[in-house]
Amino acid sequence: MPLGLMSLRVFAALPAPEPIVDAAADLMDQVPGAKWRPLENLHVTLAFYGELDEPVIEELDHELAAISCPPFAWRLKGVGRFGKAEPHALWAGVEAGPELTDLARRCRKAGGRAGVEMERRAFIPHLTLAYLERGVDPVRVQRFEQRWSMLETEPVMADRFHLYASHNRKPGQPNLYEAVADYPLAGR
């Protein structure tokens, strides 16, 4: 996987298919002060690796390509926020069987085998919808959570995951995410 770059900020994620993107788009005007994510950036992060040099990314690519996991169904279910007293992000929950958690675990282990120091956070499957500006009205956030608490989309199939690179844009604009490698899911 020659990238032709010195280093990249990378993460492994499930891409959000069109039905999921459409459902998420319906939520994206509900909270003033929210910086809604571009629809093309929507994904379910499996493992965040950070800024890596190209040789490490190549080793990571090799490790991720060796992951064997069957395709599985997943869907959006409910919404929430990160930051209890001072909310800083809104998300849609992701519901799936144990295959999703297993895939995330395998992606984290692949990072470790490639020499990446992995974060020790618990895996919370979600789709980030927006980042919140400081001082956003908490009542609006609560209303958003109440209104969409029963959100439940039809299941979609995860048949692949990607290694994404995050590219900086102009200040104040969201990063651009580019899939730099594709890993099909197939049996055990």
Side-chain angles (χ1 to χ4, degrees):
M1 177 187 67
L3 301 170
L5 300 171
M6 293 298 287
S7 68
L8 289 172
R9 189 171 188 231
V10 295
F11 58 93
L14 291 178
E18 189 174 331
I20 297 295
V21 171
D22 291 346
D26 290 343
L27 310 175
M28 292 187 162
D29 66 352
Q30 308 290 317
V31 181
K35 294 181 181 177
W36 300 99
R37 308 313 305 148
L39 295 177
E40 64 272 13
N41 278 6
L42 296 179
H43 64 274
V44 178
T45 301
L46 299 167
F48 179 74
Y49 303 111
E51 186 86 19
L52 302 178
D53 292 330
E54 190 170 340
V56 178
I57 294 172
E58 288 176 1
E59 180 60 28
L60 177 61
D61 174 54
H62 173 77
E63 293 293 341
L64 291 172
I67 292 175
S68 178
C69 180
F72 57 90
W74 65 280
R75 68 170 142 210
L76 298 182
K77 186 169 183 178
V79 298
R81 65 180 159 180
F82 288 122
K84 292 182 191 218
E86 186 77 26
H88 57 83
L90 298 175
W91 50 260
V94 170
E95 180 182 72
E99 298 90 352
L100 175 59
T101 302
D102 184 53
L103 178 59
R105 182 183 57 78
R106 290 169 185 254
C107 287
R108 290 174 58 88
K109 286 188 172 205
R113 285 191 302 275
V116 179
E117 189 170 327
M118 300 300 298
E119 295 178 322
R120 298 205 184 273
R121 269 185 233 194
F123 176 64
I124 300 171
H126 69 280
L127 195 78
T128 300
L129 300 170
Y131 293 111
L132 302 174
E133 295 176 353
R134 206 175 240 312
V136 70
D137 183 356
V139 172
R140 298 266 191 174
V141 173
Q142 289 171 344
R143 284 187 194 144
F144 173 82
E145 289 177 306
Q146 290 168 349
R147 179 174 183 194
W148 295 105
S149 66
M150 300 304 285
L151 170 72
E152 190 169 316
T153 63
E154 290 296 318
V156 295
M157 287 303 292
D159 64 354
R160 67 191 59 256
F161 70 100
H162 299 300
L163 180 64
Y164 286 91
S166 177
H167 303 285
N168 291 327
R169 293 195 210 181
K170 295 178 184 174
Q173 288 187 331
N175 288 354
L176 171 69
Y177 300 150
E178 173 191 14
V180 294
D182 178 59
Y183 310 101
L185 297 179
R188 290 210 188 263

